[in-house]
Amino acid sequence: MDPFMQAAIEEAQKGLAEGGIPIGSVIVHDGKIIGRGHNRRVQEGSAIKHGEMDAFENAGRQPAKVYREATLYTTLSPCAMCSGAILLYGIRKIIVGENETFMGEEELLRSRGVQVDVVHNATCVALMKQFIADKPELWNEDIGE
């Protein structure tokens, strides 16, 4: 398995172990992880701490060139909020673990020139399917339903 997708999955598993939603993300530049994160909405009572947003927060301030050259890995198709951050910071490539349990704004991203590769990772699918079955109310809250 791609080591960066594995790192995103490990972040998702951390989130689940903390009582949160199992979505993880890493931002990679020049072959190194510069930011990693997982959904922390439950743990921090946050309205915005999705996995991708947490990875951006942990990557911190970077020159625009760094984000333009970076690849974002995420275990789940990015929602509208996270897609907005991807566009704002000029990420040009994202690797998505799965979009079976949730189809985010992939078409928006593609329409704006972002390369979106979905790898259909079985671990990512299993994590989300189990979580949605166990905690549907928390999942619906996370996606704004």
Side-chain angles (χ1 to χ4, degrees):
M1 176 186 301
D2 180 319
F4 300 125
M5 181 55 68
Q6 182 60 44
I9 290 169
E10 289 167 8
E11 286 294 323
Q13 291 167 331
K14 282 182 194 176
L16 184 62
E18 294 169 356
I21 299 163
I23 302 168
S25 183
V26 296
I27 301 171
V28 177
H29 179 260
D30 200 21
K32 296 180 181 130
I33 295 174
I34 62 169
R36 61 176 62 232
H38 53 273
N39 188 302
R40 296 179 192 260
R41 290 188 67 249
V42 174
Q43 301 91 310
E44 296 183 9
S46 172
I48 62 168
K49 280 278 184 99
H50 283 190
E52 299 91 337
M53 302 299 278
D54 194 39
F56 276 116
E57 180 71 14
N58 291 324
R61 290 179 61 198
Q62 298 289 334
K65 179 180 187 283
V66 169
Y67 282 124
R68 281 194 308 271
E69 295 172 349
T71 299
L72 184 142
Y73 290 75
T74 182
T75 58
L76 186 66
S77 185
C79 73
M81 175 177 65
C82 296
S83 294
I86 289 164
L87 294 172
L88 177 68
Y89 289 106
I91 299 281
R92 294 181 177 159
K93 180 177 181 180
I94 64 171
I95 309 296
V96 176
E98 67 104 350
N99 61 7
E100 181 181 327
T101 61
F102 177 77
M103 174 58 78
E105 297 296 329
E106 294 174 22
E107 288 309 312
L108 168 67
L109 291 166
R110 287 183 180 110
S111 78
R112 299 282 298 273
V114 177
Q115 179 182 336
V116 179
D117 296 337
V118 182
V119 297
H120 306 286
N121 181 282
T123 301
C124 295
V125 173
L127 271 169
M128 287 310 302
K129 281 188 174 182
Q130 187 64 55
F131 179 79
I132 292 167
D134 291 345
K135 298 186 178 180
E137 69 291 337
L138 191 53
W139 171 242
N140 287 334
E141 174 191 319
D142 196 62
I143 60 172
E145 290 187 8

